[in-house]
Amino acid sequence: MSLIFVASYLLLGIFMCWVIFQDFKSRTLNLYAAIGIFITSFILTLDNYSWNWVLEVMFYNLLLLICFYVLFLLFYSFKGITVSQVFEDKLGLGDVIFTIAIIPCFITVDLLKFLLLSFLFSIVIYQVLKFSKVFKLATIPLAGNMALFFILTQILIKFGIKEPINSLI
């Protein structure tokens, strides 16, 4: 593995840690961190796969996210909650941006697995922190928990454990 790809892995880890820190501290996501995650993971994916295939996978991943968020918004609109209320109270815009930033990392099936398992992971972490009273969080820091889950899955993948989620990078 060349030095540039080792540096890219390190940079991706730094961006993910930045997301974790910022989401837990101030419930925000820096756009530069999201752009950095997207570009770095795109570069790492291109190390192993062709341009055409990566762009096709990213297109399908983006379609998956669009369908997911449209269904999410429809669910809350049937409950009488407006789109602005959804993004103020239920789901942060940073969470949406983070999920877009990680689309180069997974094929579509694995992205879906990652999203579902990271949502469950986020609920568990939130309940543990709420029970232990370490943090007094009114809402779940979803992007930070997803970034932490991503780091943990990458560590497991590097140690040879590739189930249930396999990453492209």
Side-chain angles (χ1 to χ4, degrees):
M1 185 178 288
S2 69
L3 183 60
I4 192 155
F5 290 105
V6 171
S8 296
Y9 277 112
L10 183 61
L11 191 58
L12 183 61
I14 290 169
F15 284 133
M16 290 292 182
C17 289
W18 187 3
V19 168
I20 294 167
F21 175 74
Q22 223 176 0
D23 202 19
F24 275 90
K25 181 181 175 232
S26 60
R27 305 293 293 123
T28 59
L29 174 72
N30 189 304
L31 187 59
Y32 294 121
I35 292 170
I37 290 168
F38 183 85
I39 291 171
T40 308
S41 60
F42 184 69
I43 290 169
L44 289 169
T45 304
L46 285 177
D47 183 40
N48 299 319
Y49 304 96
S50 70
W51 277 88
N52 293 337
W53 190 81
V54 171
L55 292 176
E56 182 180 344
V57 167
M58 287 174 52
F59 173 74
Y60 288 125
N61 286 349
L62 188 59
L63 283 179
L64 173 72
L65 290 179
I66 289 170
C67 289
F68 175 77
Y69 287 119
V70 165
L71 289 173
F72 188 80
L73 292 173
L74 283 174
F75 171 76
Y76 278 108
S77 69
F78 286 132
K79 291 179 78 171
I81 298 174
T82 65
V83 172
S84 63
Q85 287 175 322
V86 169
F87 284 110
E88 288 174 10
D89 301 332
K90 308 293 181 203
L91 181 72
L93 189 58
D95 301 329
V96 175
I97 292 170
F98 181 79
T99 56
I100 293 170
I102 62 168
I103 63 172
C105 299
F106 303 100
I107 60 172
T108 308
V109 172
D110 287 329
L111 178 64
L112 186 58
K113 289 179 195 176
F114 175 80
L115 291 175
L116 293 174
L117 290 174
S118 66
F119 293 158
L120 290 173
F121 178 78
S122 297
I123 292 169
V124 168
I125 294 296
Y126 176 75
Q127 292 301 327
V128 167
L129 293 177
K130 185 178 173 183
F131 179 74
S132 66
K133 298 179 182 174
V134 173
F135 289 107
K136 295 181 181 180
L137 302 171
T139 58
I140 297 174
L142 185 60
N145 283 325
M146 289 174 71
L148 178 60
F149 188 71
F150 181 85
I151 290 171
L152 292 174
T153 57
Q154 290 303 307
I155 290 170
L156 290 175
I157 288 169
K158 296 305 174 211
F159 283 111
I161 303 169
K162 296 186 183 229
E163 294 298 327
I165 300 170
N166 194 7
S167 165
L168 293 176
I169 58 173

